[in-house]
Amino acid sequence: MEGADKFIPTPAIVIDAAVVRRNLDAMAAYTATHHLKLRPHTKTHKSVKVGRMQVERGAVGLTVAKSGEAQVMAAAASDLLMAYPAVDPQRCMQLAELTRTRTVRVAIDSALAADTLSSAARAAGSFIGVLVDLDVGHHRTGAQSPEDALRLAQHISKMSGLRLDGLLCFPGHIGGAPESQKPALLALDALLDEVIGLWRTSGLDAPIVSGGSTPTAFRSHLVRNLTEIRPGTYVYNDLNCVRGGCATLDDCAARVVSTVVSTAVPGQVVLDAGTKTLTSDRCGPAPDSGHGYIIEHPEAKVFKLFEEHAQVDVRECATQPKVGDRVTLVPNHICPCINLMDRVWWHEPGEAPTPLPVDARGKVS
């Protein structure tokens, strides 16, 4: 992308379209090879254009976090999964209304969520597919035991307007280099096996077993019970992926372009990209590594952020950035960075970057 950002106002996110396609093609090829369905999470790109690119490459549908995202992504896919518990009437009603034109599923971990979804489905005259969210070790949401998962599944199976479609899990606790993940993934598979066996003994089926994350995506075949995976970050990748061992810098399609606005303090430069661009997220695998990686100055460390300022220690740099210079950063966590932008800049090889709206920006409800 060298030179492509020359006339773009900074700070800005520039997306390398060729890298995006390479990332999408690699995941599509992997899932096809291992007979897994792909239902990518749109939380990273929040773009109807990119969602359509994923569906065109064989994704069976798209995953979202909120009903507002589902309403936007309905323009990209006919099959949507909200991998987030819907418990309030308004959100459930939005989902129920969406089922008139789309297949909609929701992952839940409580009887209250089932009851509220059932009420909304009955009011809309529709059916909502439901997946039981099972906690497999991340300890964020999910039924806490196979027995809890069974009780919730039995409750859902008796609710009008709901269809028990299976299980959902998120192996967010499994990180490290992909080659080190096998023991944890086999343990996950054993837990899923126990839950599915318990359901079958009770006369219930789990036609969908949905899992996966970007760090574990290319090892998902080790979890034999999975029928589909939901990676999200893989489309753009970020420093978490690089330092976690599941991507390289060349796989990072999204770069933050920023301008040096001050060199007044010795040994330091200040960029125009602060928390309102880079967010405050630290790098999970390397929490003390700073707030992003500067491609042109790899020895630099973005050591402190304010809303509109990034303080960068450049004492170890071979060359010193000057006021007015533009630099390119790979952020720690690209997903919230995208959500802070009204638009990103889509860069096709050999062409000038063009603005691409972040269609689901701010859809947090």
Side-chain angles (χ1 to χ4, degrees):
M1 292 193 293
E2 185 176 353
D5 63 329
K6 185 176 180 181
F7 300 106
I8 296 174
T10 64
I13 295 178
V14 179
I15 308 294
D16 189 323
V19 177
V20 171
R21 290 191 179 91
R22 190 173 73 226
N23 293 341
L24 296 184
D25 289 342
M27 191 65 71
Y30 168 79
T31 52
T33 297
H34 293 283
H35 307 290
L36 284 164
K37 293 179 180 178
L38 178 62
R39 191 186 300 277
H41 208 305
T42 63
K43 68 185 180 68
T44 302
H45 58 73
K46 287 180 168 277
S47 164
V48 170
K49 173 186 176 75
V50 179
R52 286 173 176 161
M53 291 172 68
Q54 292 171 315
V55 172
E56 287 166 0
R57 285 164 171 76
V60 295
L62 296 174
T63 302
V64 300
K66 300 295 179 68
S67 57
E69 285 182 337
Q71 290 173 318
V72 172
M73 289 302 155
S78 61
D79 194 314
L80 300 166
L81 165 64
M82 192 170 100
Y84 193 93
V87 299
D88 58 282
Q90 182 179 8
R91 187 173 298 174
C92 292
M93 200 64 226
Q94 288 174 332
L95 294 168
E97 290 172 353
L98 194 55
T99 61
R100 294 194 177 105
T101 58
R102 297 291 184 270
T103 298
V104 176
R105 296 182 178 89
V106 187
I108 64 174
D109 66 1
S110 70
L112 175 62
D115 295 345
T116 311
L117 282 167
S118 174
S119 177
R122 292 197 308 271
S126 62
F127 277 88
I128 299 174
V130 178
L131 304 180
V132 173
D133 181 1
L134 176 70
D135 182 4
V136 295
H138 192 55
H139 304 320
R140 185 171 64 184
T141 62
Q144 292 298 292
S145 70
E147 293 75 20
D148 287 343
L150 174 61
R151 281 190 288 270
L152 182 55
Q154 290 172 326
H155 181 73
I156 293 166
S157 69
K158 298 172 184 175
M159 304 296 293
S160 58
L162 302 186
R163 183 184 63 250
L164 179 64
D165 281 349
L167 279 165
L168 175 141
C169 66
F170 174 57
H173 62 297
I174 302 175
E179 59 269 18
S180 71
Q181 297 171 358
K182 184 174 181 178
L185 290 171
L186 293 180
L188 165 58
D189 194 41
L191 177 59
L192 291 174
D193 210 42
E194 181 181 357
V195 175
I196 293 168
L198 194 60
W199 283 25
R200 285 174 179 159
T201 301
S202 302
L204 298 175
D205 291 322
I208 296 174
V209 182
S210 180
S213 64
T214 290
T216 62
F218 289 103
R219 303 291 279 173
S220 298
H221 59 280
L222 297 174
V223 187
R224 295 171 299 107
N225 283 291
L226 290 181
T227 64
E228 67 176 38
I229 58 173
R230 311 181 313 277
T233 312
Y234 81 98
V235 61
Y236 293 159
N237 289 306
D238 54 23
L239 209 55
N240 279 328
C241 298
V242 173
R243 298 200 189 278
C246 64
T248 68
L249 286 173
D250 289 340
D251 298 323
C252 295
R255 311 288 179 94
V256 174
V257 179
S258 182
T259 299
V260 177
V261 295
S262 175
T263 60
V265 178
Q268 171 186 288
V269 303
V270 175
L271 308 179
D272 62 357
T275 58
K276 289 181 177 177
T277 301
L278 296 170
T279 81
S280 299
D281 284 12
R282 297 196 294 174
C283 183
D288 297 322
S289 61
H291 298 280
Y293 178 88
I294 300 178
I295 297 294
E296 297 85 357
H297 302 281
E299 306 89 352
K301 182 176 181 179
V302 185
F303 68 92
K304 192 171 185 179
L305 296 180
F306 295 89
E307 288 182 65
E308 304 291 358
H309 303 73
Q311 290 178 259
V312 184
D313 184 339
V314 294
R315 290 174 294 177
E316 302 298 321
C317 292
T319 59
Q320 297 286 311
K322 302 183 297 296
V323 171
D325 283 355
R326 291 193 169 200
V327 297
T328 312
L329 298 94
V330 176
N332 286 335
H333 189 188
I334 189 59
C335 307
C337 295
I338 295 292
N339 190 57
L340 290 171
M341 298 287 168
D342 289 325
R343 65 181 180 181
V344 295
W345 293 84
W346 187 261
H347 182 217
E348 293 285 355
E351 299 179 10
T354 57
L356 177 71
V358 182
D359 300 296
R361 185 218 187 283
K363 298 297 184 181
V364 295
S365 62

